[in-house]
Amino acid sequence: MSYEIFYDVTLFGDLDIYLFKEGTHSELYDKFGSHMFVRNGVKGTYFALWAPNAKGVSVRGDFNSYNIDSHPLKKRDDGSGIWEGFISNVGEGMTYKYHIKTKHKNANPDKADPYAFYGEVAPASASRVFELEGYEWDDKKWMKNRHKNNSHKAPISIYEVHLGSWRRKADEDNRHLTYVEIAHELVEYLKEMNFTHLELLPITEFPFEGSWGYQVSGYFAPTARFGSPHQFMYLIDIMHQNGIGVILDWVPSHFVTDGHGLINFDGSCLYEHEDPRRGYHPQWKSAIFNYDRNEVRAFLVSSAMLWLEKYHIDGIRVDAVASMLYLDYARQEGEWIPNEDGSNVNRGAVKFLKQLNTTAYKKFNDIMMIAEESTNYSMVTGMVDNGGLGFGYKWNMGWMHDILKYTKEDPINRQYHHQHLTFSFVYMFNENYVLPLSHDEVVHMKGSLINKMPGDNYKKFANLRALFSLMMAHPGKKLLFMGGEFAQFAEWNYEQSLDWHLLQYKEHTGVKECVATLNSLYRDLPSLHRNDVQKDGFLWIDENDYEANVISFVRKGARNQKPVIVVCNFADKEHIGYKIGLPSRGIYKEIFSSNDKKFGGYGSKNPDTIKSKSKEYHGRKNMLEINLPALSVSYFQKI
């Protein structure tokens, strides 16, 4: 077979080059990388690479026995720094790397393609020629209506999953499930549990499994560990056909320093800052993107747009936004470089995030852009035109940390920590929030959710059910990391399956049934979700009864939708005849109790119906007397 190289082929027009240099090109995946097509009747593959400081670039692969000299690319003469060439008879599945000649002797000359759609299974690191076109989607119904499912007024309950450890084949040497296998097993579970969305920990190609995908080497390729790009499309397609949205965890904050990746790409710090005070992340031992560089911003925005365009992804959760926003993040004095005015905000990162969200929402106004941002940086979900970053949602990390501090306390001490229970309600509408109980809280010796709960075995489970019940009633969308929904005792371990065997025990099946019921109520009752990000969706009854460890509030939907009364008792004792003021008189029914026998509790002590009394309480003309089991949350609604 003859593999000739030609230089009369290009995918770049003058406008592409202009937009690339300007940093506003958002579809670079159609230009860079490897693309198969026919030249003068001969099939082959076009290669294009950005390496402005290289002395020479060649393609070495299995088609030329990885020869470093036989297939050199040619550098464009327009100052773009792009090298390109067409090699005949190179086809799908062939592996390759770029051999980059530089003036720096210590630079790794062999690089994976930054724009590759597919790669070898780690620890191998070559790229593969692959054409994304050709998959036949069957999700037209979902795509047509997904604006309703991703709306601020929609119920959004997200199940966060690490694909490598959700479930494994224990009888087959503990191997991973493939994208196809997990598609069918996971979608049935999500439907059973009434989750509305699936969020995947990063699946962009990564070399080290212990990074969980957060140390990325391939921003345009789903990891080959679980199958091909088309098989990953199949997973998303199956989710959509069954009414489940898919969110990707995406990492533009830093990248892996493995030699075949972006680090020192063309012998220079091309994608990262040269000064380690800006270009190296000491906490994660990774490289930080240079957001001030136009071509780098275009690279990252194009990565996000690939997943939205080619893979029909419904949302992107941007990891570690706080580390991007602040020049001094995780650094001591003298370890960072301030702006000329002494400030610490990374202006290049701010520009990038605004560009990212503006570009994504302009083309796909029915998606979700979500920020994992842990500081009080203002207007993360504010409109870009008004000075905001332009995200649709922000993870409410403050709520997660506060509520876990509170629930860790022995109930006898909780009255002294009441502010941790109520503080999130003070700022709950400052941003559009997602309430997470995420993977970060069940690793690194932090303990599983169930093991954070105090008391004996019964009380641990009661506390956890109460926590989930408060979470579902609190304004904001919801996210729960896998394993928490059935109270896995062990910390999450990325190398093994979840402890599904625990479901033979009624305490664990009870928590699972509780979560499924809560998801169902949240989905079916508009008052619990319609105004998750609107101030008129919430009304306090009493937030100050710290001595009883009780809070009570109202969740409201539209005027014609019945409100839901929520009463949370985090005391280790029951309250009989507990009084709450009501927004309106009538006959009420307890529609949910976390203490239900089917969840593992000892049952509710409220009658089937409860009639209000015309007596002033909590500043209202009517009141209700109810019974609150210990460590429980109850929902009431007027009949």
Side-chain angles (χ1 to χ4, degrees), residues 114 116-117 163 179 200-208 211-226 232 248-252 254 303-304 306-307 311:
F117 296 141
L163 282 181
Y179 288 128
L200 299 175
L201 266 62
I203 54 81
T204 39
E205 192 59 82
F206 55 98
F208 177 48
S211 77
W212 316 331
Y214 288 97
Q215 296 275 1
V216 180
S217 57
Y219 278 83
F220 294 80
T223 179
R225 288 170 173 83
F226 314 121
F232 182 56
L248 285 191
D249 204 341
W250 183 65
V251 191
H254 60 118
S303 169
L306 170 96
W307 302 105
Y311 288 89

Side-chain angles (χ1 to χ4, degrees), residues 479-611:
L479 179 140
L480 179 60
F481 184 59
M482 64 181 197
E485 79 280 7
F486 62 83
Q488 175 166 306
F489 270 114
E491 270 197 345
W492 170 51
N493 183 344
Y494 73 91
E495 296 182 297
Q496 64 188 44
S497 172
L498 296 180
D499 293 337
W500 295 103
H501 64 276
L502 292 175
L503 290 174
Q504 64 185 301
Y505 303 108
K506 62 181 181 179
E507 297 95 332
H508 296 275
T509 57
V511 173
K512 178 172 173 280
E513 178 66 22
C514 181
V515 171
T517 301
L518 285 166
N519 275 332
S520 178
L521 287 169
Y522 175 66
R523 180 192 63 201
D524 296 339
L525 295 178
S527 292
L528 287 178
H529 67 251
R530 189 177 188 275
N531 291 321
D532 264 333
V533 300
Q534 298 288 337
K535 291 183 179 180
D536 54 2
F538 178 89
L539 182 68
W540 273 119
I541 295 175
D542 184 16
E543 71 272 37
N544 296 317
D545 194 2
Y546 63 91
E547 292 180 332
N549 294 336
V550 174
I551 59 171
S552 51
F553 54 87
V554 183
R555 288 302 310 276
K556 301 185 295 179
R559 288 187 177 181
N560 62 342
Q561 294 165 340
K562 293 180 180 179
V564 175
I565 311 296
V566 180
V567 188
C568 309
N569 176 22
F570 287 99
D572 192 11
K573 63 180 181 180
E574 62 182 9
H575 300 300
I576 302 298
Y578 190 87
K579 300 178 178 63
I580 58 170
L582 287 176
S584 62
R585 66 180 183 178
I587 298 175
Y588 286 78
K589 180 179 179 63
E590 185 178 48
I591 60 172
F592 170 83
S593 170
S594 66
N595 198 53
D596 196 307
K597 288 183 179 179
K598 65 182 178 181
F599 303 150
Y602 54 77
S604 173
K605 290 194 173 183
N606 285 301
D608 290 339
T609 60
I610 312 169
K611 187 176 182 179

Side-chain angles (χ1 to χ4, degrees), residues 70-122:
S70 60
H71 291 83
L73 298 181
K74 184 179 180 181
K75 191 175 185 180
R76 292 177 63 97
D77 59 6
D78 53 12
S80 63
I82 297 171
W83 300 73
E84 58 187 346
F86 175 88
I87 305 176
S88 64
N89 295 312
V90 170
E92 186 161 277
M94 289 188 173
T95 65
Y96 68 97
K97 280 189 177 182
Y98 294 112
H99 184 76
I100 302 176
K101 297 178 182 178
T102 75
K103 60 184 178 181
H104 300 283
K105 294 181 179 179
N106 295 328
N108 188 330
D110 293 317
K111 295 289 188 178
D113 189 341
Y115 288 88
F117 296 141
Y118 194 19
E120 292 184 301
V121 178

Side-chain angles (χ1 to χ4, degrees), residues 244-361:
I244 305 293
V246 182
I247 301 166
L248 285 191
D249 204 341
W250 183 65
V251 191
S253 49
H254 60 118
F255 60 88
V256 71
T257 56
D258 290 48
H260 69 275
L262 299 176
I263 190 79
N264 297 322
F265 191 77
D266 61 355
S268 71
C269 293
L270 191 62
Y271 287 89
E272 72 276 21
H273 286 278
E274 185 172 1
D275 192 319
R277 292 175 295 174
R278 296 199 68 180
Y280 182 74
H281 201 300
Q283 183 176 351
W284 298 323
K285 296 179 174 57
S286 54
I288 300 173
F289 282 104
N290 182 353
Y291 308 107
D292 295 318
R293 192 159 200 165
N294 293 347
E295 295 91 343
V296 171
R297 292 199 310 278
F299 168 83
L300 288 170
V301 171
S302 292
S303 169
M305 295 300 285
L306 170 96
W307 302 105
L308 298 170
E309 174 72 40
K310 302 294 186 181
Y311 288 89
H312 294 198
I313 289 299
D314 304 289
I316 290 176
R317 180 261 195 187
V318 181
D319 178 63
V321 171
S323 75
M324 300 167 66
L325 290 174
Y326 298 102
L327 298 169
D328 58 346
Y329 184 88
R331 297 177 188 273
Q332 302 298 319
E333 187 175 349
E335 295 179 347
W336 62 284
I337 305 173
N339 296 314
E340 291 181 0
D341 61 359
S343 59
N344 67 340
V345 172
N346 188 333
R347 292 166 181 165
V350 171
K351 182 176 181 179
F352 160 67
L353 292 170
K354 290 181 177 182
Q355 178 184 342
L356 168 69
N357 290 318
T358 300
T359 304
Y361 277 121

